[in-house]
Amino acid sequence: MKNFRNLKIWEKSHSLTLDIYKYTSTYPKEELYGLTSQMRRSSASIPSNIAEGCGRNSQPQFARFLNIAFGSASELEYQLILSKDLEFIDKRVFKILLEKITEIKRMLASLVKKVQADS
């Protein structure tokens, strides 16, 4: 069992979740139960699955939850693209958030490989 708060990937994904909550607060009110909710759930799913995986007692289970987190990051990436195309966020914010998601996905992929190699 690992302490998820000690993982850099958890810190970065938690920070991204806070950013998503901040920026989606400006989305149109009619999107509250649509895109806003979806983005908040998929962003929170990333650090949540990292934390849950850390609480499991085997490397294969940890890798499984990291893969789920990766899927949530990909889902969030699409929702971010949709937000830009719908003009809910400006291009500068889009670029910043996309860079964060890309970095998180790279880190997750690398960690999954390491965890699987250690299994």
Side-chain angles (χ1 to χ4, degrees), residues 10-86:
W10 180 84
E11 289 178 19
K12 288 183 179 285
S13 60
H14 174 66
S15 175
L16 174 64
T17 301
L18 296 176
D19 289 343
I20 292 297
Y21 269 75
K22 175 184 169 186
Y23 290 112
T24 58
S25 69
T26 66
Y27 281 26
K29 294 300 174 206
E30 62 268 15
E31 288 297 329
L32 184 60
Y33 300 106
L35 189 56
T36 299
S37 177
Q38 288 178 321
M39 290 182 74
R40 289 176 175 188
R41 281 183 283 126
S42 58
S43 67
S45 177
I46 302 166
S48 295
N49 276 291
I50 294 167
E52 186 169 355
C54 284
R56 299 300 172 135
N57 59 1
S58 75
Q59 294 293 81
Q61 286 182 330
F62 184 35
R64 180 173 159 260
F65 282 94
L66 292 174
N67 279 312
I68 293 169
F70 191 93
S72 295
S74 294
E75 181 180 359
L76 179 60
E77 183 177 357
Y78 166 70
Q79 293 160 347
L80 185 62
I81 292 166
L82 180 59
S83 294
K84 177 188 63 81
D85 291 348
L86 293 171

Coordinates of all heavy atoms in Angstrom, one line a residue, residues 10-86:
W10 N -0.3 12.2 -8.7 CA -1.5 12.5 -7.9 C -1.6 14.0 -7.7 O -2.7 14.6 -7.9 CB -1.6 11.8 -6.6 CG -2.9 12.1 -5.9 CD1 -4.1 11.5 -6.1 CD2 -3.1 13.2 -5.0 NE1 -5.0 12.2 -5.3 CE2 -4.4 13.2 -4.6 CE3 -2.2 14.1 -4.4 CZ2 -5.0 14.1 -3.7 CZ3 -2.7 15.0 -3.5 CH2 -4.1 15.0 -3.1
E11 N -0.5 14.6 -7.3 CA -0.5 16.1 -7.1 C -0.9 16.8 -8.4 O -1.7 17.8 -8.3 CB 0.9 16.6 -6.7 CG 1.3 16.2 -5.3 CD 2.7 16.7 -4.9 OE1 3.2 17.6 -5.6 OE2 3.3 16.1 -4.0
K12 N -0.3 16.4 -9.5 CA -0.6 17.1 -10.8 C -2.1 16.9 -11.2 O -2.7 17.8 -11.7 CB 0.3 16.7 -11.9 CG 1.7 17.2 -11.7 CD 2.6 16.8 -12.8 CE 4.0 17.4 -12.6 NZ 4.1 18.8 -12.9
S13 N -2.6 15.7 -11.0 CA -4.0 15.4 -11.4 C -5.0 16.1 -10.5 O -6.0 16.6 -10.9 CB -4.2 13.9 -11.5 OG -4.0 13.3 -10.3
H14 N -4.6 16.2 -9.2 CA -5.5 17.0 -8.3 C -5.5 18.4 -8.6 O -6.6 19.1 -8.7 CB -5.0 16.8 -6.8 CG -5.7 17.6 -5.8 ND1 -7.0 17.4 -5.5 CD2 -5.3 18.6 -5.1 CE1 -7.4 18.3 -4.6 NE2 -6.4 19.1 -4.3
S15 N -4.4 19.0 -9.0 CA -4.3 20.4 -9.4 C -5.1 20.6 -10.7 O -5.8 21.6 -10.8 CB -2.8 20.8 -9.6 OG -2.7 22.1 -10.2
L16 N -5.0 19.7 -11.6 CA -5.8 19.8 -12.8 C -7.3 19.8 -12.5 O -8.1 20.6 -13.0 CB -5.5 18.6 -13.8 CG -6.4 18.5 -15.0 CD1 -6.2 19.8 -15.9 CD2 -6.1 17.3 -15.8
T17 N -7.7 18.9 -11.6 CA -9.1 18.9 -11.1 C -9.6 20.2 -10.6 O -10.7 20.7 -10.9 CB -9.4 17.8 -10.1 OG1 -9.0 16.5 -10.7 CG2 -10.8 17.7 -9.7
L18 N -8.8 20.8 -9.8 CA -9.1 22.2 -9.2 C -9.2 23.2 -10.4 O -10.2 24.0 -10.3 CB -8.0 22.6 -8.2 CG -7.9 21.8 -7.0 CD1 -6.7 22.3 -6.1 CD2 -9.2 21.7 -6.2
D19 N -8.3 23.1 -11.4 CA -8.4 24.0 -12.5 C -9.7 23.8 -13.3 O -10.4 24.7 -13.7 CB -7.3 23.8 -13.5 CG -5.9 24.3 -13.0 OD1 -5.9 25.1 -12.0 OD2 -4.9 23.8 -13.5
I20 N -10.1 22.5 -13.5 CA -11.3 22.2 -14.2 C -12.5 22.8 -13.5 O -13.4 23.4 -14.1 CB -11.5 20.7 -14.5 CG1 -10.4 20.2 -15.4 CG2 -12.9 20.3 -14.9 CD1 -10.4 20.8 -16.8
Y21 N -12.6 22.6 -12.2 CA -13.7 23.2 -11.4 C -13.8 24.7 -11.6 O -14.8 25.3 -11.7 CB -13.6 22.8 -9.9 CG -14.3 21.5 -9.6 CD1 -13.8 20.3 -9.9 CD2 -15.5 21.5 -8.9 CE1 -14.5 19.1 -9.6 CE2 -16.2 20.4 -8.6 CZ -15.7 19.2 -9.0 OH -16.4 18.0 -8.7
K22 N -12.6 25.3 -11.5 CA -12.5 26.8 -11.7 C -13.0 27.2 -13.0 O -13.9 28.1 -13.1 CB -11.1 27.2 -11.5 CG -10.9 28.7 -11.7 CD -9.4 29.1 -11.6 CE -9.1 30.5 -12.1 NZ -7.6 30.7 -12.1
Y23 N -12.5 26.6 -14.1 CA -12.9 27.1 -15.4 C -14.3 26.7 -15.8 O -14.9 27.5 -16.6 CB -11.8 26.6 -16.5 CG -10.5 27.4 -16.3 CD1 -9.4 26.7 -15.9 CD2 -10.5 28.8 -16.5 CE1 -8.2 27.4 -15.7 CE2 -9.3 29.5 -16.4 CZ -8.1 28.8 -16.0 OH -7.0 29.5 -15.8
T24 N -14.8 25.6 -15.4 CA -16.1 25.2 -15.8 C -17.2 26.0 -15.0 O -18.3 26.0 -15.4 CB -16.4 23.7 -15.5 OG1 -16.1 23.3 -14.2 CG2 -15.5 22.8 -16.5
S25 N -16.8 26.7 -14.0 CA -17.7 27.5 -13.3 C -18.2 28.7 -14.1 O -19.3 29.3 -13.8 CB -17.1 28.1 -12.0 OG -16.1 29.0 -12.2
T26 N -17.5 29.0 -15.2 CA -17.9 30.0 -16.1 C -18.7 29.5 -17.3 O -19.2 30.3 -18.2 CB -16.7 30.8 -16.7 OG1 -15.9 29.9 -17.5 CG2 -15.8 31.4 -15.6
Y27 N -18.9 28.2 -17.4 CA -19.7 27.6 -18.5 C -21.2 28.1 -18.4 O -21.6 28.4 -17.3 CB -19.6 26.1 -18.5 CG -18.3 25.5 -19.0 CD1 -17.1 26.2 -19.0 CD2 -18.3 24.2 -19.5 CE1 -16.0 25.7 -19.5 CE2 -17.1 23.7 -20.0 CZ -16.0 24.4 -20.0 OH -14.8 23.9 -20.5
P28 N -21.9 28.0 -19.5 CA -23.3 28.4 -19.5 C -24.1 27.5 -18.5 O -23.8 26.3 -18.3 CB -23.8 28.1 -20.9 CG -22.6 28.1 -21.8 CD -21.4 27.6 -20.9
K29 N -25.0 28.1 -17.8 CA -25.8 27.4 -16.7 C -26.5 26.2 -17.3 O -26.7 25.2 -16.6 CB -26.8 28.4 -16.1 CG -26.1 29.5 -15.3 CD -25.2 29.0 -14.2 CE -24.5 30.1 -13.5 NZ -23.2 29.6 -12.9
E30 N -26.9 26.3 -18.6 CA -27.6 25.1 -19.1 C -26.7 23.9 -19.3 O -27.1 22.8 -19.5 CB -28.3 25.4 -20.4 CG -27.4 25.8 -21.5 CD -27.2 27.3 -21.7 OE1 -27.5 28.1 -20.7 OE2 -26.7 27.8 -22.7
E31 N -25.4 24.1 -19.1 CA -24.4 23.0 -19.2 C -24.1 22.4 -17.8 O -23.3 21.5 -17.7 CB -23.1 23.4 -19.9 CG -23.2 23.7 -21.3 CD -23.6 22.4 -22.1 OE1 -23.2 21.3 -21.7 OE2 -24.3 22.5 -23.1
L32 N -24.7 22.9 -16.7 CA -24.4 22.5 -15.4 C -24.5 21.0 -15.2 O -23.7 20.3 -14.6 CB -25.3 23.2 -14.4 CG -25.0 22.9 -12.9 CD1 -23.5 23.2 -12.5 CD2 -26.0 23.6 -12.0
Y33 N -25.6 20.4 -15.8 CA -25.8 18.9 -15.7 C -25.3 18.2 -17.0 O -25.5 17.0 -17.1 CB -27.3 18.7 -15.4 CG -27.7 19.3 -14.1 CD1 -28.5 20.4 -14.1 CD2 -27.3 18.8 -12.9 CE1 -28.9 21.0 -12.9 CE2 -27.6 19.4 -11.7 CZ -28.5 20.5 -11.7 OH -28.8 21.1 -10.6
G34 N -24.7 18.9 -17.8 CA -24.1 18.3 -19.1 C -22.6 18.3 -19.0 O -22.0 17.6 -18.2
L35 N -22.1 19.1 -19.9 CA -20.6 19.2 -20.1 C -19.9 19.5 -18.8 O -18.8 18.9 -18.4 CB -20.2 20.1 -21.2 CG -18.8 20.1 -21.7 CD1 -18.3 18.6 -22.1 CD2 -18.6 21.0 -22.8
T36 N -20.4 20.5 -18.0 CA -19.7 20.9 -16.8 C -19.6 19.7 -15.8 O -18.5 19.4 -15.3 CB -20.5 22.0 -16.1 OG1 -20.6 23.2 -17.0 CG2 -19.9 22.5 -14.8
S37 N -20.7 19.0 -15.6 CA -20.7 17.9 -14.7 C -19.8 16.8 -15.3 O -19.0 16.2 -14.5 CB -22.1 17.3 -14.6 OG -22.2 16.2 -13.8
Q38 N -19.8 16.5 -16.6 CA -19.0 15.4 -17.1 C -17.5 15.7 -17.0 O -16.7 14.9 -16.6 CB -19.3 15.3 -18.6 CG -20.6 14.6 -18.9 CD -20.9 14.5 -20.4 OE1 -20.6 15.5 -21.2 NE2 -21.4 13.4 -20.8
M39 N -17.1 17.0 -17.2 CA -15.7 17.4 -17.1 C -15.3 17.3 -15.6 O -14.1 16.8 -15.3 CB -15.5 18.8 -17.6 CG -15.6 18.8 -19.1 SD -15.3 20.5 -19.8 CE -13.5 20.5 -19.6
R40 N -16.1 17.7 -14.7 CA -15.7 17.6 -13.3 C -15.6 16.2 -12.9 O -14.6 15.8 -12.1 CB -16.7 18.4 -12.5 CG -16.6 19.9 -12.7 CD -17.7 20.6 -11.9 NE -17.5 22.1 -12.0 CZ -18.2 23.0 -11.4 NH1 -19.1 22.6 -10.5 NH2 -17.9 24.3 -11.5
R41 N -16.5 15.3 -13.3 CA -16.4 13.9 -12.9 C -15.2 13.2 -13.5 O -14.5 12.5 -12.8 CB -17.7 13.2 -13.3 CG -18.8 13.4 -12.3 CD -20.1 12.6 -12.6 NE -20.8 13.3 -13.7 CZ -21.1 12.7 -14.9 NH1 -20.9 11.4 -15.0 NH2 -21.7 13.3 -15.8
S42 N -14.9 13.5 -14.8 CA -13.8 12.8 -15.4 C -12.5 13.3 -14.9 O -11.5 12.5 -14.7 CB -13.8 12.9 -16.9 OG -13.9 14.2 -17.4
S43 N -12.4 14.6 -14.5 CA -11.2 15.1 -14.0 C -10.9 14.6 -12.6 O -9.8 14.2 -12.2 CB -11.1 16.7 -14.0 OG -12.1 17.2 -13.1
A44 N -12.0 14.5 -11.7 CA -11.9 14.0 -10.4 C -11.6 12.5 -10.4 O -11.0 12.0 -9.4 CB -13.1 14.3 -9.6
S45 N -12.0 11.8 -11.4 CA -11.7 10.4 -11.6 C -10.2 10.1 -11.7 O -9.8 9.0 -11.2 CB -12.5 9.8 -12.8 OG -12.2 8.5 -12.9
I46 N -9.5 11.0 -12.2 CA -8.0 10.7 -12.4 C -7.3 10.6 -11.0 O -6.8 9.5 -10.7 CB -7.4 11.8 -13.3 CG1 -8.0 11.9 -14.6 CG2 -5.9 11.5 -13.4 CD1 -7.7 13.1 -15.4
P47 N -7.3 11.6 -10.2 CA -6.7 11.4 -8.9 C -7.4 10.4 -8.0 O -6.8 9.7 -7.2 CB -6.7 12.8 -8.3 CG -7.8 13.6 -8.9 CD -7.8 13.0 -10.3
S48 N -8.7 10.3 -8.1 CA -9.5 9.3 -7.3 C -9.0 7.9 -7.6 O -8.8 7.1 -6.7 CB -11.0 9.4 -7.6 OG -11.5 10.6 -7.2
N49 N -8.8 7.5 -8.9 CA -8.4 6.2 -9.3 C -6.9 6.0 -8.9 O -6.6 4.8 -8.5 CB -8.6 5.9 -10.7 CG -10.0 5.5 -11.0 OD1 -10.4 4.4 -10.6 ND2 -10.8 6.3 -11.6
I50 N -6.1 7.0 -8.9 CA -4.7 6.8 -8.5 C -4.7 6.5 -7.0 O -4.0 5.6 -6.5 CB -3.9 8.1 -8.8 CG1 -3.7 8.3 -10.3 CG2 -2.5 8.1 -8.1 CD1 -3.2 9.7 -10.7
A51 N -5.5 7.3 -6.2 CA -5.6 7.0 -4.8 C -6.2 5.6 -4.5 O -5.6 4.9 -3.6 CB -6.5 8.1 -4.1
E52 N -7.2 5.2 -5.2 CA -7.8 3.9 -4.9 C -6.8 2.8 -5.3 O -6.6 1.8 -4.5 CB -9.1 3.7 -5.7 CG -9.7 2.4 -5.4 CD -11.1 2.3 -5.9 OE1 -11.7 3.2 -6.5 OE2 -11.7 1.2 -5.7
G53 N -6.0 3.0 -6.4 CA -5.0 2.0 -6.7 C -3.9 1.9 -5.7 O -3.4 0.8 -5.4
C54 N -3.6 3.0 -5.1 CA -2.5 3.0 -4.0 C -3.0 2.2 -2.8 O -2.2 1.7 -2.1 CB -2.2 4.4 -3.6 SG -1.1 5.2 -4.8
G55 N -4.3 2.2 -2.6 CA -4.9 1.5 -1.5 C -5.0 0.0 -1.7 O -5.4 -0.7 -0.8
R56 N -4.8 -0.5 -2.9 CA -4.9 -1.9 -3.2 C -3.6 -2.6 -2.8 O -2.6 -2.0 -2.7 CB -5.2 -2.1 -4.7 CG -6.5 -1.5 -5.1 CD -7.7 -2.1 -4.3 NE -8.9 -1.4 -4.6 CZ -10.1 -2.0 -4.9 NH1 -10.1 -3.3 -4.9 NH2 -11.1 -1.3 -5.1
N57 N -3.7 -3.9 -2.6 CA -2.6 -4.6 -2.1 C -1.7 -5.4 -3.1 O -0.9 -6.2 -2.7 CB -3.0 -5.6 -1.0 CG -4.0 -6.6 -1.5 OD1 -4.4 -6.6 -2.7 ND2 -4.5 -7.5 -0.6
S58 N -1.9 -5.1 -4.4 CA -1.0 -5.7 -5.4 C -0.7 -4.8 -6.5 O -1.5 -3.8 -6.8 CB -1.7 -7.0 -5.9 OG -2.7 -6.6 -6.8
Q59 N 0.4 -5.0 -7.1 CA 0.9 -4.2 -8.3 C -0.1 -4.3 -9.5 O -0.4 -3.3 -10.1 CB 2.3 -4.6 -8.7 CG 3.3 -4.2 -7.6 CD 3.5 -2.7 -7.4 OE1 2.8 -2.1 -6.7 NE2 4.5 -2.2 -8.1
P60 N -0.6 -5.5 -9.8 CA -1.6 -5.6 -10.9 C -2.8 -4.8 -10.7 O -3.4 -4.1 -11.6 CB -1.9 -7.1 -11.0 CG -0.7 -7.8 -10.5 CD -0.2 -6.9 -9.4
Q61 N -3.3 -4.8 -9.4 CA -4.5 -4.0 -9.1 C -4.2 -2.5 -9.2 O -5.0 -1.7 -9.7 CB -5.0 -4.3 -7.7 CG -5.7 -5.6 -7.6 CD -6.3 -5.9 -6.3 OE1 -5.7 -5.4 -5.3 NE2 -7.4 -6.6 -6.2
F62 N -3.0 -2.1 -8.8 CA -2.6 -0.7 -8.9 C -2.5 -0.3 -10.3 O -3.0 0.8 -10.7 CB -1.2 -0.5 -8.2 CG -0.7 0.9 -8.2 CD1 -1.5 2.0 -8.0 CD2 0.7 1.2 -8.3 CE1 -1.0 3.3 -8.0 CE2 1.2 2.5 -8.2 CZ 0.3 3.5 -8.1
A63 N -1.9 -1.1 -11.2 CA -1.8 -0.9 -12.6 C -3.2 -0.7 -13.2 O -3.5 0.1 -14.1 CB -1.0 -1.9 -13.3
R64 N -4.2 -1.6 -12.8 CA -5.5 -1.5 -13.3 C -6.2 -0.1 -13.1 O -6.8 0.5 -13.9 CB -6.4 -2.6 -12.7 CG -7.8 -2.6 -13.1 CD -8.5 -3.9 -12.6 NE -9.9 -3.6 -12.6 CZ -10.7 -3.2 -11.6 NH1 -10.1 -3.1 -10.4 NH2 -12.0 -3.0 -11.7
F65 N -6.0 0.4 -11.8 CA -6.6 1.7 -11.5 C -5.9 2.8 -12.2 O -6.5 3.8 -12.6 CB -6.6 1.9 -10.0 CG -7.8 1.1 -9.4 CD1 -7.6 -0.1 -8.8 CD2 -9.0 1.7 -9.3 CE1 -8.6 -0.8 -8.3 CE2 -10.1 1.0 -8.8 CZ -9.9 -0.3 -8.3
L66 N -4.6 2.7 -12.4 CA -3.8 3.7 -13.2 C -4.4 3.7 -14.7 O -4.5 4.8 -15.2 CB -2.3 3.4 -13.2 CG -1.6 3.5 -11.9 CD1 -0.2 3.1 -12.0 CD2 -1.7 5.0 -11.4
N67 N -4.7 2.5 -15.2 CA -5.3 2.5 -16.6 C -6.6 3.1 -16.6 O -7.0 3.8 -17.6 CB -5.3 1.0 -17.1 CG -4.0 0.6 -17.6 OD1 -3.3 1.3 -18.4 ND2 -3.5 -0.6 -17.2
I68 N -7.4 3.0 -15.6 CA -8.7 3.6 -15.5 C -8.5 5.1 -15.5 O -9.2 5.9 -16.1 CB -9.5 3.1 -14.3 CG1 -9.9 1.6 -14.5 CG2 -10.8 4.0 -14.1 CD1 -10.5 1.0 -13.2
A69 N -7.5 5.6 -14.7 CA -7.2 7.0 -14.6 C -6.8 7.5 -16.0 O -7.2 8.6 -16.4 CB -6.1 7.3 -13.6
F70 N -6.1 6.7 -16.7 CA -5.6 7.1 -18.1 C -6.9 7.3 -19.0 O -6.9 8.3 -19.8 CB -4.7 6.1 -18.6 CG -4.0 6.5 -19.9 CD1 -2.8 7.1 -19.9 CD2 -4.6 6.3 -21.1 CE1 -2.1 7.6 -21.0 CE2 -4.0 6.8 -22.3 CZ -2.8 7.4 -22.3
G71 N -7.8 6.4 -18.9 CA -9.0 6.5 -19.6 C -9.8 7.8 -19.3 O -10.3 8.5 -20.2
S72 N -9.9 8.1 -18.0 CA -10.5 9.3 -17.6 C -9.8 10.6 -18.1 O -10.5 11.5 -18.5 CB -10.6 9.4 -16.1 OG -11.4 8.4 -15.6
A73 N -8.5 10.5 -18.2 CA -7.7 11.6 -18.7 C -8.0 11.8 -20.2 O -8.2 12.9 -20.7 CB -6.2 11.4 -18.5
S74 N -8.2 10.7 -20.9 CA -8.5 10.8 -22.4 C -9.9 11.3 -22.6 O -10.1 12.1 -23.5 CB -8.4 9.4 -23.0 OG -7.1 8.9 -23.0
E75 N -10.8 10.9 -21.7 CA -12.2 11.4 -21.8 C -12.2 12.9 -21.5 O -12.8 13.7 -22.3 CB -13.0 10.7 -20.7 CG -14.5 11.2 -20.7 CD -15.3 10.4 -19.6 OE1 -14.7 9.6 -18.9 OE2 -16.5 10.8 -19.5
L76 N -11.5 13.4 -20.5 CA -11.4 14.8 -20.2 C -10.7 15.6 -21.4 O -11.1 16.7 -21.7 CB -10.6 15.0 -19.0 CG -10.4 16.5 -18.5 CD1 -11.7 17.2 -18.3 CD2 -9.5 16.5 -17.3
E77 N -9.7 15.0 -22.0 CA -9.1 15.6 -23.2 C -10.1 15.9 -24.3 O -10.2 17.0 -24.8 CB -8.0 14.7 -23.7 CG -7.2 15.3 -24.9 CD -6.1 14.4 -25.4 OE1 -5.8 13.3 -24.8 OE2 -5.4 14.8 -26.3
Y78 N -11.0 14.9 -24.6 CA -12.0 15.2 -25.6 C -13.0 16.3 -25.1 O -13.4 17.2 -25.9 CB -12.8 13.9 -25.9 CG -14.1 14.3 -26.7 CD1 -13.9 14.8 -28.0 CD2 -15.3 14.3 -26.1 CE1 -15.1 15.3 -28.7 CE2 -16.4 14.8 -26.8 CZ -16.3 15.3 -28.1 OH -17.4 15.8 -28.7
Q79 N -13.4 16.2 -23.9 CA -14.3 17.2 -23.4 C -13.7 18.6 -23.4 O -14.5 19.6 -23.7 CB -14.8 16.8 -21.9 CG -15.6 15.6 -21.9 CD -15.6 14.9 -20.5 OE1 -14.9 15.2 -19.6 NE2 -16.5 13.9 -20.4
L80 N -12.5 18.7 -23.2 CA -11.8 20.0 -23.3 C -11.8 20.5 -24.8 O -12.0 21.7 -25.0 CB -10.3 19.9 -22.8 CG -9.5 21.1 -22.8 CD1 -10.1 22.1 -21.8 CD2 -8.1 20.8 -22.3
I81 N -11.5 19.6 -25.7 CA -11.6 20.0 -27.1 C -13.0 20.5 -27.5 O -13.2 21.5 -28.1 CB -11.2 18.8 -28.0 CG1 -9.7 18.5 -27.9 CG2 -11.6 19.0 -29.5 CD1 -9.3 17.1 -28.4
L82 N -14.0 19.7 -27.0 CA -15.4 20.1 -27.2 C -15.7 21.5 -26.6 O -16.3 22.4 -27.3 CB -16.4 19.1 -26.6 CG -17.9 19.4 -26.8 CD1 -18.3 19.5 -28.3 CD2 -18.7 18.3 -26.1
S83 N -15.2 21.8 -25.4 CA -15.4 23.1 -24.8 C -14.8 24.2 -25.6 O -15.4 25.3 -25.8 CB -14.7 23.1 -23.4 OG -15.4 22.2 -22.6
K84 N -13.6 23.9 -26.2 CA -13.0 24.9 -27.0 C -13.8 25.2 -28.3 O -14.1 26.3 -28.7 CB -11.5 24.5 -27.4 CG -10.8 25.5 -28.4 CD -9.5 25.0 -28.9 CE -9.6 23.7 -29.7 NZ -10.0 23.9 -31.1
D85 N -14.2 24.1 -28.9 CA -15.0 24.2 -30.2 C -16.4 24.9 -29.9 O -16.9 25.6 -30.8 CB -15.2 22.8 -30.8 CG -13.9 22.3 -31.4 OD1 -12.9 23.0 -31.4 OD2 -13.9 21.1 -31.7
L86 N -16.9 24.7 -28.7 CA -18.2 25.4 -28.4 C -17.9 26.8 -27.9 O -18.9 27.5 -27.5 CB -18.9 24.6 -27.3 CG -19.5 23.2 -27.8 CD1 -20.0 22.4 -26.6 CD2 -20.6 23.4 -28.9

